[in-house]
Amino acid sequence: MKTINERKTIRKYSTKDVSEELLNRLLTEAERTPTMGNLQLYSVVITRSAEKKQQLAPAHFNQPMVTEAPIVLTICADFRRTTLWAQNRKADPGYDNFLSFINAATDALLYTQTFCNLAEAEGLGTCFLGTTVYMPQMIIDTLQLPQLVFPVATITLGWPDEDPSFTDRLPLASIIHQETYEDYTTERIDCFYTKKEQLEENQHFVKINQKETLAQVFTDCRYTRKDNEAMSAGMIAALKAQGFLK
């Protein structure tokens, strides 16, 4: 059984199947996750078929683990179930708004993390795909998500077929603030990021991208202003289409 300090992101999986029994047990145990008002504002779409994985892949920039992992889980912010429950019980739901999306997205992401912890403790490997919110309409269409359901996280799941190195993390002092927020001075930024910048793999990252600093790799290559603004517009359009924004 692995602990949180041993966890690694797994992108390559063996052909060994993940049983329905094990998957359902982990999904059930993850339901003990904290949730707003005990409403469990999330749903999970399980994808096992090769055909459906191929359909999902373009929404995730065709990252190979989407089609190669035995299972792909799409975790959705879901206020549809609660809304229909209310409507069927003589109640007047008011959950077609942005606050409700944030509440449901929070529930979904908490559930996602709990599930990952449980799965990894069993020896399974997971990879969290941040691409889920980049082109959500493609996922909505592929999975036929109805109004008030929105994809917020995707997990590839299977038995590991690799043992990658640990990824670096910033020191604790860089993320904590005592009593009030202490803003970051140039000196503090240097203190917190210099070690990360000096790692051999990160220096190689800078070199192959032909940049001067590691920060430029993120701003100019990986997460650009142009892409962020375009994908923000797409996400807002999808939120409107799904009924979370007027």
Side-chain angles (χ1 to χ4, degrees):
M1 179 177 289
K2 293 183 179 180
T3 68
I4 191 68
N5 288 324
E6 298 174 284
R7 80 152 307 277
K8 300 175 181 180
T9 293
I10 300 298
R11 294 178 173 85
K12 294 181 180 179
Y13 303 93
S14 77
T15 57
K16 180 182 175 182
D17 187 35
V18 179
S19 72
E20 190 96 356
E21 180 183 10
L22 175 58
L23 177 61
N24 286 340
R25 175 168 65 80
L26 295 172
L27 291 169
T28 300
E29 289 175 357
E31 286 192 89
R32 300 314 304 171
T33 300
T35 179
M36 194 198 81
N38 198 28
L39 290 173
Q40 294 182 252
L41 304 171
Y42 51 79
S43 285
V44 182
V45 181
I46 302 168
T47 303
R48 285 184 180 267
S49 77
E51 178 184 5
K52 191 61 71 174
K53 291 176 195 173
Q54 287 288 353
Q55 293 173 10
L56 283 171
H60 298 291
F61 298 91
N62 293 305
Q63 297 178 83
M65 57 273 198
V66 177
T67 54
E68 294 172 2
I71 297 174
V72 176
L73 302 178
T74 305
I75 300 91
C76 302
D78 186 344
F79 242 121
R80 181 175 184 81
R81 183 178 62 250
T82 304
T83 294
L84 292 177
W85 171 58
Q87 290 172 342
N88 280 275
R89 296 295 186 271
K90 301 179 181 180
D92 181 23
Y95 308 126
D96 54 345
N97 46 65
F98 186 64
L99 178 63
S100 296
F101 167 70
I102 291 295
N103 287 332
T106 301
D107 271 16
L109 291 171
L110 287 169
Y111 179 88
T112 300
Q113 185 60 70
T114 298
F115 175 84
C116 287
N117 290 346
L118 292 169
E120 289 164 2
E122 291 284 341
L124 287 160
T126 69
C127 181
F128 176 88
L129 303 184
T131 46
T132 305
V133 293
Y134 287 4
M135 294 183 285
Q137 193 61 53
M138 294 179 67
I139 299 173
I140 290 167
D141 294 341
T142 299
L143 300 181
Q144 300 177 26
L145 304 182
Q147 289 267 292
L148 299 182
V149 181
F150 199 93
V152 295
T154 300
I155 299 297
T156 57
L157 178 73
W159 300 103
D161 193 30
E162 64 171 346
D163 186 20
S165 301
F166 286 108
T167 51
D168 64 280
R169 289 294 186 263
L170 293 171
L172 179 63
S174 69
I175 67 167
I176 61 171
H177 304 263
Q178 301 291 352
E179 310 300 343
T180 59
Y181 192 99
E182 181 183 1
D183 207 358
Y184 296 94
T185 62
T186 297
E187 291 74 21
R188 295 185 75 213
I189 291 294
D190 290 343
C191 177
F192 297 147
Y193 282 89
T194 296
K195 184 177 179 180
K196 182 185 189 76
E197 292 166 335
Q198 291 178 342
L199 290 173
E200 183 178 348
E201 58 267 34
N202 285 336
Q203 291 184 351
H204 177 67
F205 205 25
V206 173
K207 183 177 180 180
I208 63 174
N209 283 281
Q210 299 181 329
K211 293 297 175 182
E212 182 182 354
T213 69
L214 182 63
Q216 289 175 349
V217 176
F218 287 90
T219 61
D220 300 353
C221 303
R222 298 195 66 187
Y223 309 109
T224 69
R225 181 187 300 276
K226 179 181 177 181
D227 288 345
N228 286 338
E229 291 176 350
M231 289 187 288
S232 292
M235 185 175 183
I236 290 171
L239 283 168
K240 288 180 179 178
Q242 292 305 101
F244 281 113
L245 289 178
K246 300 292 191 296

